[in-house]
Amino acid sequence: MSTEVSIIPEEFQIKNEIHQKTYLINGELISWKGSTTEVYSTISSSVPYKRTLLGSIPDLGEKEALMALEGALKAYDQGKGTWPTMKVRDRIECMEKFVTQMKTKREEVVKLLMWEIGKSLPDSQKEFDRTVDYIYDTIEDYKQLDRNSAKFQQHEGVYAHIRRGPLGVVLCLGPYNYPLNETFALLIPALIMGNTAIFKPAKFGVLLITPLLEAFKNSFPKGVVNILFGRGRTVAAPIMKTGKVDVLALIGNSKSANALQDQHPKSNRLRLVLGLEAKNPAIILPDADMDLTIEECLTGTLSFNGQRCTALKIVYVHEDVQKKFLDEFAARVDAMKFGNPWEKGVKLTPLPEPDKPSYIQELIDDALAKGAKIINKKGGKHFDNYIWPAVLYPVTKDMRVYQEEQFGPVIPVLSFQDIEEPLDDMAASNYGQQVSLFGRDVYALAPLIDTLANLVCRVNLNSSCQRGPDVYPFTGRKDSAQSTLSVHDALRSFSIRTFLAFKDNEINKETVNQLLETKLSNFTSTEYIL
């Protein structure tokens, strides 16, 4: 889509490019004079169409990666460091200082979200605000976790003071589709539990970290947060090869996760916190409320152009309602508004990956060659930085669009008569994150829910798939996830139960009482945080 500069509202125009010249290692923003990588937006600021240069980032290498690792190792200091041994109250103060500074950068980050990844203005604002809420919710849950631990238990003559302790050094890699929220959903709980971290932003949505670098530097002790820029295989692989990373925290695809795991020489010692790909289906039963179903399927398939792991990526519709669904759904897809992220009411926006339209076209061409048809009139229509969502039917299992996670605007639809057909497909799938189930007959729904709950980790009844609210578990089976992310669960994913134990005798009681009275130990404490 081509847009004249004058049409872009002044507050959203790119007036100054951001050429990031520093990176954060061991508490210092280090200047970079080496090679850089230019960062472009697929949104045009001129006619004819031309990608917009947003700025550049350092193209760091193995040397800088190992320096970041050394900074994180030094800050952890084999568990003796200031951060892992710090009082819970003090770690919370650091996190509160960070989020207070972060909030002052809302306007800059929201603007970069729109330009870098094409996320609409309301969704960009929501991502920022949701991330701030996530941090505050994490702080509150951490306080409750600490309150629950501020006690001693006694069984069979043995006392125990059980807390959760950090794991060590975390390598954190976030996704481009939620470069702030999902990245921080890894980084924030990892840090607050006492781990130290090396963080590399995603390929797209990288400049929006720039306004936050000072806040990271100012809020945490040296080496607790280290931020690298560059290619993942160039900076992440050397770090993993050392075997000194304790946790790999990654939201992305399983190929990247497997490649990085393979680099680690002692993978049995590596804790994995992974949010990976999915092929979430919608199953539409014959008694489904069609208006509600279509509304939820539109949101599920095309929110942020389908570039979400939680997106509905395949639709199963019962033969009895297949025609009605397709006719109405196709018309609604064609009626959606396409435009730049700041335009009012826009639902479809430019794709951040320049090669994504051609990839989606490949999927469409393959499906058409194997017997599918484009049901909607606009399906497959090209712009400079977009391809209109194609509703494809009938889709068969030999088509690429059935087999691959499309992560973009194309919607494969299959019909079924026997409910065992979609159930068998889900059981055979490599993925098992979520499903959307549409229907009202409880006698049909009850056994389905019981089965689906054992195939995926979230069954959405008459609702599109989604991650939130963030207090609910977010995980998956098979190739879709490892560990659970939510405000509550993430604190546990980035920590381990550890405790002080002692036999019930006078010497031990006297010693522990003195430990509590003198407050010399940050671990052995019954202080209560309100």
Side-chain angles (χ1 to χ4, degrees):
M1 182 177 181
S2 300
T3 306
E4 293 183 30
V5 179
S6 59
I7 297 176
I8 301 175
E10 187 174 353
E11 67 266 34
F12 302 129
Q13 290 179 17
I14 295 297
K15 298 176 180 178
N16 298 302
E17 296 166 4
I18 300 173
H19 293 285
Q20 180 58 36
K21 297 291 187 183
T22 60
Y23 54 100
L24 181 62
I25 289 183
N26 202 29
E28 300 295 330
L29 285 170
I30 302 172
S31 295
W32 176 251
K33 295 183 174 62
S35 61
T36 59
T37 300
E38 291 183 326
V39 178
Y40 285 91
S41 171
T42 61
I43 299 170
S44 180
S45 298
S46 63
V47 176
Y49 172 82
K50 183 183 178 183
R51 290 191 304 157
T52 301
L53 178 64
L54 300 179
S56 61
I57 55 168
D59 189 13
L60 303 178
E62 182 173 345
K63 178 184 174 185
E64 292 73 35
L66 295 178
M67 284 171 58
L69 174 62
E70 187 59 35
L73 287 167
K74 188 175 180 181
Y76 194 71
D77 194 18
Q78 299 176 325
K80 298 178 292 182
T82 301
W83 186 248
T85 60
M86 187 180 281
K87 288 182 178 180
V88 168
R89 188 188 307 276
D90 295 335
R91 279 208 294 266
I92 287 172
E93 282 183 12
C94 291
M95 193 61 73
E96 288 174 335
K97 181 179 180 181
F98 171 76
V99 73
T100 299
Q101 293 181 44
M102 174 184 168
K103 287 190 292 186
T104 67
K105 304 296 182 182
R106 183 179 188 266
E107 188 177 323
E108 295 171 64
V109 173
V110 165
K111 183 177 177 180
L112 286 167
L113 272 166
M114 289 190 291
W115 278 94
E116 286 198 81
I117 64 171
K119 186 163 285 189
S120 70
L121 175 58
D123 284 349
S124 295
Q125 292 169 330
K126 181 181 177 182
E127 177 164 353
F128 187 94
D129 296 339
R130 178 183 172 188
T131 306
V132 169
D133 290 342
Y134 182 93
I135 297 173
Y136 282 123
D137 288 344
T138 298
I139 290 170
E140 287 307 310
D141 207 274
Y142 186 38
K143 287 179 182 178
Q144 185 60 50
L145 179 65
D146 189 65
R147 286 194 285 265
N148 294 342
S149 302
K151 62 185 179 181
F152 287 82
Q153 302 176 27
Q154 198 254 35
H155 292 281
E156 298 180 9
V158 177
Y159 281 94
H161 184 50
I162 305 171
R163 291 187 173 277
R164 297 199 72 89
L167 296 163
V169 173
V170 179
L171 176 60
C172 180
L173 304 167
Y176 81 76
N177 58 336
Y178 288 89
L180 188 71
N181 182 260
E182 290 207 333
T183 300
F184 279 32
L186 298 174
L187 188 59
I188 297 303
L191 292 174
I192 206 166
M193 290 308 299
N195 302 286
T196 61
I198 306 151
F199 159 47
K200 192 200 83 66
K203 182 179 180 182
F204 303 102
V206 58
L207 286 176
L208 59 87
I209 298 299
T210 296
L212 305 177
L213 284 176
E214 285 285 350
F216 277 116
K217 176 182 181 293
N218 297 336
S219 303
F220 301 99
K222 280 187 172 186
V224 171
V225 185
N226 303 274
I227 300 177
L228 294 170
F229 299 94
R231 291 169 59 86
R233 66 184 63 179
T234 304
V235 295
I239 292 172
M240 292 296 288
K241 284 179 182 177
T242 66
K244 295 178 180 179
V245 170
D246 300 290
V247 186
L248 173 61
L250 179 148
I251 295 180
N253 65 68
S254 54
K255 288 182 180 178
S256 299
N258 290 336
L260 284 170
Q261 287 178 64
D262 290 344
Q263 299 283 349
H264 200 289
K266 295 183 179 179
S267 57
N268 61 296
R269 288 168 50 173
L270 183 66
R271 173 75 67 93
L272 299 173
V273 182
L274 308 175
L276 305 173
E277 65 264 38
K279 190 80 171 175
N280 293 338
I283 300 175
I284 303 170
L285 301 177
D287 68 328
D289 182 289
M290 200 51 66
D291 290 340
L292 172 64
T293 298
I294 287 171
E295 195 65 44
E296 292 295 326
C297 283
L298 280 170
T299 301
T301 56
L302 291 175
S303 177
F304 193 41
N305 304 306
Q307 299 167 123
R308 299 155 46 243
C309 67
T310 57
L312 289 174
K313 299 196 178 79
I314 192 159
V315 177
Y316 291 90
V317 58
H318 194 276
E319 285 181 359
D320 291 354
V321 291
Q322 163 253 313
K323 186 177 188 306
K324 179 176 175 60
F325 171 79
L326 282 175
D327 288 348
E328 295 182 24
F329 184 71
R332 289 289 301 277
V333 170
D334 282 350
M336 295 178 82
K337 182 178 179 180
F338 172 75
N340 280 325
W342 44 82
E343 293 177 28
K344 190 173 182 179
V346 72
K347 296 295 183 184
L348 306 172
T349 53
L351 299 168
E353 297 175 277
D355 57 350
K356 182 56 71 72
S358 62
Y359 167 70
I360 297 297
Q361 186 64 58
E362 286 178 20
L363 297 182
I364 293 172
D365 292 343
D366 174 76
L368 295 179
K370 293 171 181 172
K373 293 181 180 178
I374 299 175
I375 302 302
N376 57 320
K377 293 177 182 177
K378 293 184 181 178
K381 183 180 178 182
H382 279 261
F383 298 104
D384 292 305
N385 49 13
Y386 196 69
I387 182 169
W388 197 272
V391 181
L392 297 173
Y393 177 84
V395 166
T396 53
K397 296 178 187 179
D398 61 335
M399 296 176 186
R400 288 178 59 192
V401 75
Y402 173 88
Q403 299 164 0
E404 300 175 23
E405 186 200 29
Q406 63 267 41
F407 216 76
V410 60
I411 305 158
V413 181
L414 292 78
S415 62
F416 70 93
Q417 189 169 28
D418 186 345
I419 190 60
E420 294 299 324
E421 295 170 42
L423 292 181
D424 288 345
D425 289 352
M426 289 178 66
S429 171
N430 289 326
Y431 311 114
Q433 189 196 78
Q434 299 186 35
V435 63
S436 287
L437 178 61
F438 296 93
R440 289 181 289 186
D441 179 2
V442 295
Y443 291 96
L445 290 172
L448 269 178
I449 291 169
D450 292 352
T451 299
L452 290 169
N454 294 328
L455 292 175
V456 297
C457 289
R458 176 169 171 162
V459 180
N460 299 277
L461 180 60
N462 295 315
S463 308
S464 62
C465 296
Q466 63 180 74
R467 171 171 176 155
D470 287 322
V471 295
Y472 292 162
F474 179 56
T475 187
R477 300 173 186 267
K478 296 184 273 191
D479 288 348
S480 286
Q482 194 157 336
S483 296
T484 302
L485 291 172
S486 69
V487 171
H488 178 79
D489 295 298
L491 294 173
R492 288 150 182 83
S493 294
F494 286 103
S495 62
I496 192 167
R497 293 182 91 197
T498 182
F499 62 102
L500 173 72
F502 55 93
K503 290 182 178 179
D504 184 1
N505 58 50
E506 290 307 312
I507 292 175
N508 286 337
K509 285 182 179 178
E510 183 181 341
T511 304
V512 172
N513 277 325
Q514 287 181 14
L515 277 170
L516 294 173
E517 288 169 9
T518 58
K519 299 182 179 180
L520 294 172
S521 169
N522 290 341
F523 183 91
T524 312
S525 171
T526 54
E527 285 189 355
Y528 206 83
I529 303 176
L530 295 175

